[in-house]
Amino acid sequence: MKNKFLIIGSLSLLTLGSCTKNFEKINTNPNVPSSVTPDLLLSGVIKNTINDQVNEAWGIGNIVAQHTAKIQFVNEDRYLWGERNGVWNSVYGNMRNVQNMIDLATASTPVQNNYLGVALIMKSWMFSLATDAYGDIPYTEATKAKTGSVYTPKYDKQEDIYTGLLADLKKANDILGTSSEAISGDILYNGSVDKWRRLANSLRLRLLMRLSKKKNVNADMQAIVGNPTTNPIFSSNSDNAELKYLADVPANQWPLYSARVGSFDEFRVSKTLSDRLTVLNDPRLAVFGRPSQKSVAAGTPKIEGIPNGLGDVAALNYNGGPQGVSRVGYSYACLVCNDGGQIAPQPNVARGLIMTYAELQFILAEAAEKGMITSATTPEDYYLRGIQANFSFYNGMIPSQYGINVTPPAGYYTQAGVAYAGTQTEKLEKIALQKWVALFFNGLEAWFDWRRTGMPAIIPGADNLNNNKVPLRYIYPLSEQSLNGKNRTEAVARQGADDLNTAIWIIK
């Protein structure tokens, strides 16, 4: 019996040895790489974050800015928000791959400055969305779980975050083009270093304008505008940071393309938008909305918006019911949202936006009007370029099959509501109005800009549930109370109550 156990033990040792020989080689799948290169990460980061931007615009950005309104399930429109985690999850979920891009580009010999610059731009844009939505957020320690075992990152002050964002954008501009690697995986700019630099500097101007409520940023803005060779900015719509969706590739379609028709139909054109553009005889209204079904049936097609912030019953019955309220424009629709006028393959003409040339022109118009920058271009010229660029953008986007002419009618620019005339306040109001129109479906940007200027007016709906106040921020995700409670508590103590009406640092 003793010898029997010895034999069995020896066989076990021999078997164990044979099992572990070449273990790693045998159990390594050659088709599953253990490391990646920046180009393999870049396309996913761009697609995911811009798609999230589109969804945030649809779900709340257009609503709070009063571009659209709801006829059903109206909590968002009545400011009964609760926690809204889309921006938080998008930024921190995708930031891991952005940080991986930064680490890979930095570790390369020589350093891949082109990929590093692009990663810094995406990082800055993404963190700007998060801090503008929530205020103080994890920033400097946000991506150090893997490299530094930091699992409960501190919340940085918004002032410090803005300093970091602007520094990274400047660095991106300075290093792009200083290395030789081609930028692959770039579904935004197809590898153009020049266009990425223009985005970096245009984003700097956006953030500097937002920061101008707290600090004198004139010198920083002038340094960019006054030296276009060193600091190139958008010069036309061809520089727009826009993701062009495809009609026939399911992996890169307009995010609303597969939406349920019932979910899509909850969102309609806001009366705020339809009234403002109707007064101006503005043809862009036909891009943002379609004639109500009731008006079409009556032979008098008309785009009819619904007031924001109505209760469930009032919203569903407004103007005789859903057929009396205009749906969102054809180019933004879902596949099954046909109402007789929609062309099946066309919803994918809509774009996912980070920033446009039109927005930049309105920023420069405001800066020039306030004397923040000096330039050979007048405030009026910047303002008119912004309007013209937005008209041109939609003229180039809308399929001819829809028969929508987005050319401004004769007299458009000379009418009282558009002409660049009046007091400085009146001029700034006109800039703000046209900028608001141009920010349609651009995430939360119209809301962020309204918080800074208060223009154009946003009036809470009649049945709002926030004491007649337009919300000023998102509350922190409730999960942070358990996952990062100490740091969240410190941020709330510093910033103010964690509710919708607490003004974050940059708008105080």
Side-chain angles (χ1 to χ4, degrees):
M1 181 66 70
K2 184 176 180 181
N3 290 336
K4 183 178 180 180
F5 282 128
L6 287 172
I7 293 170
I8 293 172
S10 300
L11 289 172
S12 298
L13 289 172
L14 288 171
T15 303
L16 181 62
S18 63
C19 287
T20 57
K21 185 178 181 181
N22 297 322
F23 179 85
E24 291 185 3
K25 181 177 180 181
I26 294 171
N27 289 277
T28 298
N29 186 344
N31 297 315
V32 179
S34 58
S35 61
V36 296
T37 50
D39 59 296
L40 297 178
L41 301 172
L42 180 56
S43 59
V45 168
I46 292 173
K47 176 192 169 186
N48 293 340
T49 53
I50 294 182
N51 281 0
D52 291 338
Q53 169 97 325
V54 169
N55 288 324
E56 201 67 20
W58 179 246
I60 201 70
N62 292 343
I63 294 289
V64 69
Q66 298 190 351
H67 289 137
T68 59
K70 295 198 75 176
I71 62 169
Q72 265 186 307
F73 308 109
V74 296
N75 284 351
E76 297 95 334
D77 220 354
R78 300 176 71 190
Y79 307 144
L80 188 63
W81 288 2
E83 61 173 341
R84 297 198 61 85
N85 299 343
V87 171
W88 189 280
N89 293 339
S90 175
V91 169
Y92 291 107
N94 286 288
M95 196 57 67
R96 289 190 292 269
N97 278 341
V98 175
Q99 187 60 49
N100 285 336
M101 287 177 60
I102 292 172
D103 294 341
L104 289 166
T106 304
S108 176
T109 304
V111 173
Q112 294 181 317
N113 279 329
N114 290 337
Y115 278 117
L116 177 57
V118 168
L120 289 175
I121 293 169
M122 292 300 295
K123 174 184 176 182
S124 299
W125 172 62
M126 291 160 63
F127 270 126
S128 76
L129 299 180
T131 188
D132 284 334
Y134 299 93
D136 295 358
I137 57 169
Y139 174 63
T140 54
E141 295 181 350
T143 56
K144 293 187 176 179
K146 181 179 178 180
T147 58
S149 299
V150 179
Y151 302 110
T152 55
K154 69 176 182 179
Y155 282 52
D156 294 87
K157 296 178 182 178
Q158 188 173 46
E159 180 178 6
D160 298 333
I161 295 169
Y162 257 74
T163 299
L165 301 180
L166 289 165
D168 277 348
L169 288 171
K170 183 179 185 305
K171 179 178 179 179
N173 171 69
D174 293 343
I175 65 174
L176 278 165
T178 63
S179 59
S180 59
E181 82 278 6
I183 304 174
S184 300
D186 180 8
I187 59 175
L188 190 67
Y189 282 136
N190 196 30
S192 172
V193 169
D194 175 68
K195 291 188 184 298
W196 278 105
R197 291 185 69 201
R198 291 177 185 277
L199 175 58
N201 292 311
S202 298
L203 284 172
R204 287 169 70 192
L205 289 168
R206 173 198 276 178
L207 298 186
L208 286 167
M209 180 56 78
R210 197 160 288 159
L211 189 59
S212 67
K213 189 176 179 72
K214 300 296 293 185
K215 295 182 176 182
N216 186 325
V217 299
N218 298 6
D220 292 324
M221 295 188 81
Q222 184 63 44
I224 298 171
V225 175
N227 192 345
T229 301
T230 301
N231 302 301
I233 57 177
F234 290 166
S235 60
S236 70
N237 279 340
S238 67
D239 296 327
N240 288 350
E242 59 182 64
L243 181 58
K244 296 180 180 179
Y245 293 103
L246 306 177
D248 56 356
V249 182
N252 193 23
Q253 289 180 320
W254 173 244
L256 299 180
Y257 191 68
S258 59
R260 293 173 53 250
V261 66
S263 300
F264 181 90
D265 272 350
E266 296 168 14
F267 297 83
R268 300 296 177 106
V269 175
S270 167
K271 193 172 186 298
T272 303
L273 180 70
S274 61
D275 284 356
R276 285 174 176 167
L277 295 190
T278 297
V279 167
L280 299 178
N281 193 23
D282 195 313
R284 288 173 292 184
L285 182 56
V287 177
F288 305 144
R290 58 186 94 175
S292 67
Q293 292 167 298
K294 184 171 72 173
S295 70
V296 171
T300 55
K302 181 182 179 182
I303 297 175
E304 303 177 278
I306 179 174
N308 286 86
L310 298 182
D312 286 287
V313 175
L316 197 56
N317 292 316
Y318 182 79
N319 202 28
Q323 291 192 339
V325 181
S326 291
R327 303 165 97 181
V328 176
Y330 294 113
S331 295
Y332 302 98
C334 64
L335 173 64
V336 291
C337 292
N338 293 301
D339 63 3
Q342 181 175 314
I343 303 167
Q346 301 306 317
N348 297 282
V349 299
R351 314 285 168 81
L353 304 176
I354 294 179
M355 189 175 183
T356 66
Y357 173 67
E359 180 193 346
L360 175 64
Q361 293 307 292
F362 294 127
I363 291 170
L364 296 175
E366 180 182 348
E369 179 59 43
K370 290 179 175 179
M372 299 169 67
I373 60 171
T374 57
S375 169
T377 305
T378 66
E380 180 178 14
D381 285 342
Y382 282 130
Y383 166 73
L384 293 175
R385 286 179 188 176
I387 301 174
Q388 292 160 359
N390 197 237
F391 276 116
S392 178
F393 171 75
Y394 287 115
N395 262 321
M397 187 185 96
I398 305 301
S400 59
Q401 296 96 316
Y402 285 143
I404 299 174
N405 185 355
V406 199
T407 303
Y412 180 86
Y413 293 104
T414 57
Q415 62 183 308
V418 178
Y420 200 75
T423 66
Q424 184 179 71
T425 297
E426 289 170 335
K427 292 175 181 177
L428 291 173
E429 287 174 346
K430 291 173 182 178
I431 293 170
L433 174 62
Q434 292 289 343
K435 186 179 183 183
W436 172 80
V437 175
L439 288 173
F440 182 80
F441 243 121
N442 192 345
L444 301 175
E445 282 305 313
W447 178 43
F448 293 159
D449 210 53
W450 170 84
R451 292 184 316 187
R452 178 179 63 86
T453 66
M455 299 183 293
I458 295 179
I459 309 300
D463 298 322
N464 78 86
L465 299 172
N466 194 40
N467 297 316
N468 292 317
K469 299 176 183 176
V470 179
L472 297 178
R473 64 180 289 268
Y474 284 175
I475 66 171
Y476 292 124
L478 297 180
S479 60
E480 284 291 283
Q481 295 182 26
S482 57
L483 297 177
N484 197 8
K486 178 177 179 294
N487 289 313
R488 175 197 168 277
T489 298
E490 289 178 357
V492 171
R494 179 173 63 238
Q495 181 168 268
D498 187 16
D499 64 42
L500 302 177
N501 301 312
T502 295
I504 57 180
W505 173 81
I506 205 160
I507 57 173
K508 285 181 179 178

